[in-house]
């Protein structure tokens, strides 16, 4: 299997104890510029090789670095250390509703956002109906996006990003929203994508979801890679850690 | 795929990447214009109203109240030829500090080259500038003025101005994320820049009224040679000269190189703060 994603010594740090952002004023008029109290590594020393068609579940507590890792893979954060190499396009299901503009209609939003994700005009025209059907927003195409319910917004976002047909799919907790009927549809769509040979990264706190979709589990603890193996083993270790901490 | 290589890439290869994203850029610019004009049919009027009103005010102050010793007749055409490009510059330099924050969610969820968010502002404002050109034609007709051959240099002046604005905006975008008061500082700087650019007067006036060294420093403002070149379209005999235009072009290229450097350096840090 050719590696699709390869992380080598990957690390990124964030500032700690920064209550507010800096101002030019501070530099100009104060000699003691507030030095950041410290930094912490949100992720460090991550080595990971993922082959085509693998379904990887990211496991770990809050602040473990799961979302940060997805963002580094998606290329929306730049690492401070090491590198991550991604061969192929990425369909990021991260903040799926982020690209939409409240003042524009759903129709305009679909064409614009799909275009931003790199779809050509012809492809958008071809996929337009499919996206609308999947999101079940057919009656609201000319309604400004800000009038959509939050469920509708997420549905449209999910429908759009999953129709991008990129070889790598990153999913960050989007399955938590939406009603049951839509969730079932999402599951089906994800299974279709997996059987179509796509590489999947899934962040979830729902063990059932992780077991259902993923074959491999990566456990991130405080920014470090704590375990990497079959999903069952990784979940067992995560649970053992939690039980150990509780005791 | 581009994401890992790009940090070490030189300016030219990054330009090539940007060129590949021109479709995206086109989309974003259309989106900006659509949003701007979505709610009001008067959208177009709004974008030319501000410079028109200001030109009217300066015309009143400098022709009716003050005894004006600068500029040329018809002064209203003289003013509008400075105000409209200034409106472009002002729009870009104000919005650039919010280039990454205004669409933070979009920046965070799509892996476009981040320069796109800056280029898009320069582009959208450039389109508005082009759309406002009929105003120049109308005022020229009303005042009975005829264009000179310098009108053909309009695209050149636009290219130089775009280069400068792109450089400045590239530097401002990450700075606006990292420092909260950049927007406020820019507002002050813009007011200074307005009076230090040939808008209510011409670059020739500066040369005529001040020692030579002041004129030289004045030329370093990339807007000074540029605005005078626009104006030469209708005031050819008042044109400051090609040397000044060349200086403006060189300084603009310097701004662009510096802006790219600052952007590349601070991009990673700025992304963390979004």
């Amino acid at each position: 299997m050719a590696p699709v994603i390869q992380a080598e010594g990957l690390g990124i740090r964030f500032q700690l104890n920064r209550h507010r952002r800096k101002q030019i004023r501070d530099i100009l008029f104060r000699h003691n510029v507030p030095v950041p109290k410290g930094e912490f590594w949100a992720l460090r020393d991550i080595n990971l090789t993922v082959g085509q068609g693998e379904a990887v579940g990211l496991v770990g507590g809050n602040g473990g670095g799961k979302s940060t890792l997805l963002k580094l893979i998606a290329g929306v954060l730049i690492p401070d250390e090491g590198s991550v190499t991604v061969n192929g396009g990425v369909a990021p299901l991260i903040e799926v509703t982020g690209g939409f503009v409240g003042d524009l209609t759903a129709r305009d939003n679909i064409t614009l956002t799909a275009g931003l994700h790199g779809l050509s005009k012809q492809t958008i025209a071809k996929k337009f109906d499919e996206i609308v059907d999947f999101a079940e927003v057919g009656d609201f195409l000319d309604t400004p996006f800000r009038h959509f319910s939050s469920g509708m917004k997420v549905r449209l976002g999910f429908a759009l990003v999953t129709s991008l047909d990129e070889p790598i799919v990153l999913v960050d907790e989007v399955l938590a929203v939406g009603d049951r009927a839509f969730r079932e549809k999402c599951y089906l769509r994800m299974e279709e994508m997996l059987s179509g040979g796509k590489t999947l990264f899934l962040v979830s706190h729902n063990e059932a979801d992780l077991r259902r979709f993923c074959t491999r589990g990566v456990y991130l603890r405080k920014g470090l890679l704590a375990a990497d193996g079959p999903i069952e083993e990784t979940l067992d270790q995560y649970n053992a850690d939690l039980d150990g901490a509780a005791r | 795929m581009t994401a890992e290589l790009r940090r070490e890439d030189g300016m030219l290869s990054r330009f090539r990447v940007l060129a590949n994203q021109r479709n995206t850029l086109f989309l974003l610019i259309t989106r900006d214009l659509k949003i701007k004009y979505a709610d009001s049919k008067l959208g177009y009027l709004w974008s030319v109203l501000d410079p028109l009103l200001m030109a009217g005010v300066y015309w009143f102050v400098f022709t009716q109240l003050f005894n004006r010793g600068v500029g040329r007749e018809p002064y209203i055409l003289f003013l509008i030829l400075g105000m409209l490009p200034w409106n472009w510059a002002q729009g870009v330099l104000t919005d650039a500090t919010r280039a990454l924050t205004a669409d933070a969610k979009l920046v965070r969820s799509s892996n476009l080259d981040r320069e796109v968010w800056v280029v898009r502002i320069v582009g959208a404002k450039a389109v508005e500038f082009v759309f406002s050109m009929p105003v120049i034609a109308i005022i020229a007709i009303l005042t009975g003025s005829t264009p000179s051959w310098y009108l053909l240099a309009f695209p050149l002046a636009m290219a130089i101005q775009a280069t400068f604005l792109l450089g400045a905006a590239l530097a401002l975008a990450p700075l606006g994320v990292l420092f909260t008061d950049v927007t406020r500082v820019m507002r002050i700087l813009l007011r200074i820049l307005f009076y230090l650019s040939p808008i209510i007067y011409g670059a020739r006036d500066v040369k005529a009224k001040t020692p030579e060294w002041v004129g030289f420093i004045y030329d370093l403002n990339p807007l000074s040679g540029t605005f005078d070149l626009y104006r030469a379209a209708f005031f050819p005999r008042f044109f400051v000269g090609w040397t000044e235009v060349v200086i403006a072009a060189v300084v603009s290229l310097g701004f662009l190189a510096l802006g790219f450097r600052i952007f590349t350096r601070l991009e990673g840090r700025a992304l963390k703060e979004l």
Side-chain angles (χ1 to χ4, degrees), chain A:
Chain A
M1 258 190 310
V4 176
I5 299 167
Q6 187 151 30
E8 282 167 27
L10 186 65
I12 186 167
R13 56 174 186 262
F14 287 86
Q15 311 260 296
L16 205 64
N17 290 337
R18 235 233 243 136
H19 293 298
R20 62 181 179 86
R21 289 190 286 162
K22 274 187 261 183
Q23 303 208 0
I24 295 179
R25 207 175 56 188
D26 301 332
I27 294 172
L28 288 180
F29 303 115
R30 265 201 243 160
H31 295 292
N32 51 340
V33 177
V35 183
K37 292 273 156 38
E39 297 169 326
F40 75 97
W41 289 88
L43 274 183
R44 199 161 198 192
D45 298 329
I46 305 293
N47 293 299
L48 203 62
T49 308
V50 179
Q52 199 228 317
E54 277 197 88
V56 183
L58 288 181
V59 187
N62 290 330
K66 304 185 296 292
S67 298
T68 309
L69 181 57
L70 280 200
K71 285 182 180 166
L72 283 164
I73 294 171
V76 296
L77 277 178
I78 297 173
D80 291 309
E81 242 182 35
S83 67
V84 56
T85 321
V86 181
N87 295 311
V90 174
L93 281 154
I94 307 169
E95 304 197 48
V96 279
T97 58
F100 298 126
V101 187
D103 283 343
L104 295 181
T105 62
R107 191 188 300 277
D108 283 344
N109 267 311
I110 293 172
T111 26
L112 286 173
T113 312
L116 283 188
H117 282 293
L119 290 194
S120 68
K121 255 193 187 135
Q122 295 88 322
T123 323
I124 297 173
K126 222 165 48 194
K127 292 198 168 173
F128 189 87
D129 291 335
E130 185 198 322
I131 295 172
V132 172
D133 283 347
F134 190 86
E136 299 165 30
V137 293
D139 297 336
F140 305 95
L141 276 180
D142 295 303
T143 312
F145 186 67
R146 71 182 121 89
H147 291 166
F148 274 37
S149 75
S150 49
M152 283 160 74
K153 287 180 182 170
V154 174
R155 286 205 311 255
L156 190 57
F158 186 91
L160 198 140
V161 181
T162 50
S163 69
L164 291 178
D165 211 23
E166 297 283 14
I168 302 162
V169 184
L170 309 175
V171 185
D172 192 359
E173 300 273 16
V174 277
L175 297 179
V177 274
D179 55 22
R180 220 179 91 195
F182 185 70
R183 211 153 60 222
E184 284 308 319
K185 263 169 87 175
C186 292
Y187 286 158
L188 280 177
R189 173 68 72 98
M190 283 177 58
E191 270 161 4
E192 266 172 46
M193 293 193 291
L194 276 176
S195 57
K198 293 191 190 299
T199 309
L200 176 81
F201 257 85
L202 176 66
V203 168
S204 180
H205 288 289
N206 184 332
E207 281 190 25
D209 284 355
L210 288 165
R211 286 208 166 88
R212 176 165 179 178
F213 293 110
C214 304
T215 46
R216 178 172 168 190
V218 169
Y219 173 19
L220 292 173
R221 184 173 50 202
K222 287 177 185 153
L224 297 173
L225 193 69
D228 181 1
I231 185 75
E232 294 296 336
E233 285 174 26
T234 307
L235 279 173
D236 286 347
Q237 190 182 338
Y238 175 51
N239 287 327
D241 265 16
L242 287 181
D243 294 342
R247 208 170 292 136

Side-chain angles (χ1 to χ4, degrees), chain A residues 13 21 24 75 80 84 99, chain B residues 4 106 111 114 177 181 272:
Chain A
R13 56 174 186 262
R21 289 190 286 162
I24 295 179
D80 291 309
V84 56
Chain B
E4 328 69 45
L106 204 49
N111 54 353
R114 253 74 54 172
V177 179
D181 54 353
K272 290 181 195 170

